[in-house]
Amino acid sequence: MAGVGIGGVIALVLGGQAIASRIAAKEVDKAIADVSDVVDIEYRKVNHSLLGRGTSVKDVTITPIDGDGPIAVDEIVLYDFKQKDDVPTYMKFAVNGFSLTSPGAETSEMLTELGYEGDVNANFETEYEYEADDKTMRLKKFEVGADDVGDIEMSFQFSNISLDEEAMASLPFSLFSAEFHNAEITYRDDSFMERIFETTAAAEGISVEEAKDSAIADLEAEYASGESDLPEEFVQEMKSFIQDPDRFTITFSPAEPVPMTSFMGVEGPEDVIELLNVRFES
């Protein structure tokens, strides 16, 4: 089994969303047919919980048509799904138990080098809602994580987004009228970053603290030379994270909604930071 690369993540999201959106209507096979030109999906059984734990599709294999090999998934769980006029207005689902260390995985060699042993399994959960009346889309949660590695969670809000058939057919051009409101990305570390410093220190024959000091010195030197596009407060927070890599949060909170067309004038990170009022905190 190949593991999860970039193409695999896309396949997991597409396959998971396709199946989850159809579980409620008991149309899993139709969902599989709908995405058959992108991914091939097989499953063993569907379980309907009577205890409010959602409905799950067990033992799923998702294979991108072009790209990575098959990805084995323990289960895809639909917790809730609503739609209005054939437009999904709310969905919460999870994809649980896909391997990051199976042979062929883009992440397998890296995790092995960092000292992870055995099979490292990951999960992701997503929840979004769409208000058709004011065309507002909120990704309330998209979280990917693995035990003893870490997890990353993000959320965002856009307005003036239409999900009707005509708008979907004209993607990505129909998104030009959308407006960005806010977003947040949070990373929480279990041992991944510490293992990176431990591996670097071992390779260079230095202590972990010396490896961290070296990384901070490189960051300071780049900023002092004027080569860095990051503001000083970013650099200070990044130094803090290197010293104690527990978690960091990046927030995007412009004072007013930002039209998507405004991104056409963006030339570098400093423009994005100013346009979206970006903050980095560790």
Side-chain angles (χ1 to χ4, degrees), residues 223-263:
Y223 178 75
S225 69
E227 296 178 3
S228 174
D229 294 323
L230 300 177
E232 182 179 3
E233 58 265 28
F234 263 58
V235 174
Q236 295 301 323
E237 290 294 330
M238 291 172 71
K239 288 166 56 178
S240 177
F241 178 73
I242 291 171
Q243 287 286 6
D244 183 17
D246 178 50
R247 63 182 289 158
F248 67 76
T249 297
I250 304 173
T251 57
F252 307 77
S253 53
E256 300 290 339
V258 178
M260 293 299 290
T261 52
S262 297
F263 288 92

Side-chain angles (χ1 to χ4, degrees), residues 35-191:
V35 295
S36 61
D37 59 336
V38 181
V39 293
D40 179 65
I41 302 172
E42 298 178 356
Y43 68 95
R44 183 169 61 87
K45 65 177 180 178
V46 178
N47 286 343
H48 300 281
S49 172
L50 300 178
L51 301 176
R53 297 175 181 172
T55 301
S56 60
V57 179
K58 298 285 188 178
D59 299 333
V60 183
T61 301
I62 301 174
T63 307
I65 298 300
D66 298 317
D68 298 335
I71 304 164
V73 175
D74 289 345
E75 64 176 4
I76 297 174
V77 184
L78 174 69
Y79 296 105
D80 199 1
F81 176 78
K82 299 174 184 177
Q83 63 179 6
K84 179 180 180 181
D85 298 328
D86 295 326
V87 174
T89 57
Y90 180 84
M91 180 183 289
K92 181 179 180 181
F93 75 95
V95 176
N96 297 323
F98 54 93
S99 177
L100 299 179
T101 50
S102 54
E106 291 183 15
T107 50
S108 180
E109 183 177 352
M110 175 188 63
L111 291 175
T112 299
E113 290 178 354
L114 293 178
Y116 289 96
E117 299 178 351
D119 201 16
V120 178
N121 286 318
N123 309 306
F124 84 73
E125 181 176 318
T126 187
E127 178 182 10
Y128 84 89
E129 63 180 359
Y130 176 70
E131 296 179 9
D133 293 338
D134 60 8
K135 298 182 179 180
T136 298
M137 174 182 286
R138 296 183 182 89
L139 179 67
K140 303 176 74 172
K141 179 181 183 180
F142 184 93
E143 182 176 7
V144 182
D147 289 342
D148 200 31
V149 179
D151 65 85
I152 186 166
E153 181 177 347
M154 64 185 72
S155 62
F156 62 70
Q157 178 178 336
F158 284 87
S159 65
N160 205 26
I161 288 184
S162 179
L163 297 182
D164 59 31
E165 187 174 341
E166 181 179 353
M168 298 302 290
S170 61
L171 287 172
F173 304 106
S174 58
L175 294 178
F176 288 169
S177 61
E179 294 185 333
F180 174 88
H181 285 245
N182 55 68
E184 183 172 287
I185 301 172
T186 297
Y187 173 73
R188 291 174 286 266
D189 191 68
D190 279 348
S191 70

Side-chain angles (χ1 to χ4, degrees), residues 195-217:
R195 286 173 184 258
I196 288 179
F197 286 117
E198 289 170 1
T199 301
T200 300
E204 297 181 3
I206 58 178
S207 69
V208 171
E209 286 305 313
E210 288 172 325
K212 290 182 177 181
D213 289 342
S214 176
I216 290 174

